[in-house]
Amino acid sequence: MKQMMMTLAALLLCATQANAQTARVADRELIGAWTLEWMQYDGEKKIVCGKANGYTQFKYYGADGEYAAAGIVLSNEGKIVVIPQEYGKYSLKDGWYMEMGRPAIKDAVILTDKTHYRGRWKNRSDLWVKHPSMSDKIIRYIVERCKMNDTPADVQQLIKHDIFK
C-alpha cells in the first residue's frame, strides 16, 4: 500500500510539472516585433539566422491585427537590406493562427514563453524571438516598407493569369 501511494504521488508530481511546462501563454503575447532565430525544412539541417549568416526574417504583429513580414539581409559590406514580403492582417485565437486571409491553422504558432514562439508552416519549422526593446523607428520603417511593396491590382491580375493559370 505504501509503495502504491508513493507511486501515485510520483505520478501526480510528474503530471503537475508537465502541466506547468505546457501552460499556455496568452495569445496577446504575440503582439510586437519578432526575428527568426532558426528554421529547418523537413529532412534538412537547421539553419541558424542572424549575424553568423547575415540573414534573418522579421515579423510584426500589431494589437489591431496588423501584420508585416520582411527578410533582413546584412551584406558583406555591412549594409542592411530590407526585403518586404507581406503586409496585411493576422489573428491568433485559442491556438488557431491566420495571416493574410489564408485558412487558419491550429498550432502553427505556439508561444513557448513571452519571448519565444515555435512556428510551423508546410514543411518548415522555426523558432522566433521577440524584441520588446526594438525601437519604434525600426519597426515602423520595416512595416512601412512592407506596405509600399503592394503590387498594383492590374499587375496582380496579369501575374495570376500568366503564372498561376
Side-chain angles (χ1 to χ4, degrees):
M1 180 71 164
K2 185 176 180 182
Q3 181 68 22
M4 187 169 79
M5 292 298 282
M6 289 177 63
T7 303
L8 285 172
L11 287 172
L12 182 60
L13 180 61
C14 288
T16 302
Q17 288 175 342
N19 282 340
Q21 291 172 353
T22 59
R24 288 191 47 88
V25 177
D27 292 346
R28 70 180 174 276
E29 295 298 336
L30 187 61
I31 297 168
W34 298 78
T35 58
L36 185 61
E37 193 165 295
W38 59 259
M39 62 182 158
Q40 184 173 21
Y41 292 92
D42 294 345
E44 296 183 17
K45 292 176 100 174
K46 186 182 288 185
I47 301 166
V48 177
C49 298
K51 190 174 182 180
N53 72 358
Y55 176 79
T56 192
Q57 290 179 8
F58 167 93
K59 287 192 177 189
Y60 172 75
Y61 301 97
D64 60 353
E66 181 180 34
Y67 166 78
I72 310 290
V73 178
L74 173 61
S75 73
N76 289 338
E77 295 78 32
K79 185 177 178 181
I80 296 293
V81 179
V82 176
I83 305 165
Q85 295 170 337
E86 295 184 313
Y87 178 80
K89 295 290 184 180
Y90 85 96
S91 69
L92 176 62
K93 184 158 178 64
D94 299 327
W96 287 92
Y97 178 75
M98 185 280 304
E99 66 188 29
M100 301 298 295
R102 294 185 279 269
I105 301 171
K106 179 74 170 158
D107 295 332
V109 169
I110 299 173
L111 291 154
T112 56
D113 58 39
K114 291 183 179 191
T115 59
H116 293 86
Y117 81 76
R118 287 183 290 123
R120 178 77 182 165
W121 191 71
K122 294 190 178 186
N123 67 334
R124 181 179 126 176
S125 298
D126 43 39
L127 181 68
W128 294 81
V129 62
K130 190 174 191 176
H131 296 276
S133 62
M134 185 179 288
S135 78
D136 193 51
K137 182 175 183 174
I138 294 170
I139 294 168
R140 294 307 340 149
Y141 174 78
I142 297 170
V143 170
E144 290 302 315
R145 289 277 293 129
C146 292
K147 283 182 186 180
M148 290 185 289
N149 200 43
D150 282 345
T151 305
D154 61 330
V155 176
Q156 284 197 31
Q157 289 296 66
L158 289 170
I159 291 171
K160 286 177 186 176
H161 179 266
D162 292 349
I163 296 175
F164 295 105
K165 301 174 192 177

